[in-house]
Amino acid sequence: MCRTLAAFPTTCLERAKEFKTRLGIFLHKSDLGSDTGSVGKFEWSSKHNKEGRNFSEDVLGWRESFDLLLGSKNGVAAFHAFLKTEFSEENLEFWLACEEFKKIRSAAKLASRAHRIFEEFIRSEAPKEVNIDHETRELTRTNLQAATATCFDVAQGKTRTLMEKDSYPRFLKSPTYRDLATHASATSTSPSKGSPAEPSHT
């Protein structure tokens, strides 16, 4: 665990560099990044996302709640990039797969996708096996016998809780996120071109 750069300088610096590299790749190429997929680096301008928040506000919002992080495309990309440096991205990928799964309306497609998700994330020794208890695993297996949009709800809820209590605090304490937040704070209190600075709130 990277608590401070002083404690583990080499390891933390390497993880920070890997985090930044992966985050840049995700924001540039991934559908978890910008809508156009053309963002190669952070933009600290007044450009707003769908929620009316510019990127600086978005970054600062990630530390307000786990819900705000998961509700931000850039936040999900950043969190995923961080989890990959810890080799623990399977929980987030499972959570995202469940969110997409709930949007399926075709019963046939629902059943097919449910089995794919189970094979990839839930079954014992799955390629991206998530950390859930035996009871939840077996409950989910039973649910697949008559797949519905809610058949992964219990497993998804447990992986979300695990991320919120474990990975999310480490993400917020990571050197790279703290650097992003510092930059975002400085930018949000500085005047942008053609418009006055917004007052800061303490």
Side-chain angles (χ1 to χ4, degrees), residues 49-169:
N49 59 21
K50 293 179 181 178
E51 291 72 37
R53 297 160 68 92
N54 65 33
F55 191 74
S56 296
E57 293 171 337
D58 199 22
V59 169
L60 295 176
W62 302 346
R63 64 190 179 191
E64 292 176 16
S65 76
F66 193 46
D67 285 332
L68 285 177
L69 175 68
L70 292 180
S72 161
K73 283 189 175 183
N74 285 329
V76 169
F79 189 45
H80 187 263
F82 168 74
L83 292 176
K84 288 185 76 70
T85 68
E86 295 197 333
F87 305 101
S88 59
E89 68 271 23
E90 64 280 348
N91 286 335
L92 178 60
E93 291 181 2
F94 170 63
W95 185 89
L96 291 170
C98 290
E99 289 297 288
E100 290 302 310
F101 173 75
K102 293 174 184 177
K103 299 176 183 178
I104 298 174
R105 293 294 174 261
S106 164
K109 289 182 179 180
L110 199 71
S112 174
R113 183 70 61 84
H115 282 86
R116 281 168 50 192
I117 291 174
F118 185 87
E119 288 298 310
E120 184 174 6
F121 297 102
I122 302 296
R123 72 171 173 83
S124 181
E125 305 299 327
K128 298 180 179 181
E129 184 179 358
V130 294
N131 186 13
I132 56 175
D133 56 83
H134 176 73
E135 290 75 13
T136 301
R137 194 183 313 279
E138 292 308 306
L139 171 63
T140 306
R141 188 193 304 276
T142 300
N143 289 344
L144 258 63
Q145 295 175 10
T148 67
T150 62
C151 66
F152 292 108
D153 279 5
V154 175
Q156 184 187 19
K158 292 196 174 185
T159 56
R160 185 196 185 286
T161 298
L162 182 63
M163 289 190 292
E164 185 172 15
K165 292 183 176 180
D166 184 31
S167 305
Y168 175 56

Side-chain angles (χ1 to χ4, degrees), residues 22-41:
R22 288 185 183 278
L23 183 52
I25 292 173
F26 273 97
L27 290 177
H28 183 66
K29 295 183 177 180
S30 175
D31 58 357
L32 299 178
S34 70
D35 291 336
T36 62
S38 60
V39 180
K41 58 184 178 181

Side-chain angles (χ1 to χ4, degrees), residues 170-191:
R170 290 203 304 276
F171 168 71
L172 295 181
K173 293 176 182 178
S174 67
T176 303
Y177 176 71
R178 288 186 308 207
D179 180 57
L180 288 175
T182 298
H183 195 166
S185 295
T187 303
S188 64
T189 56
S190 299

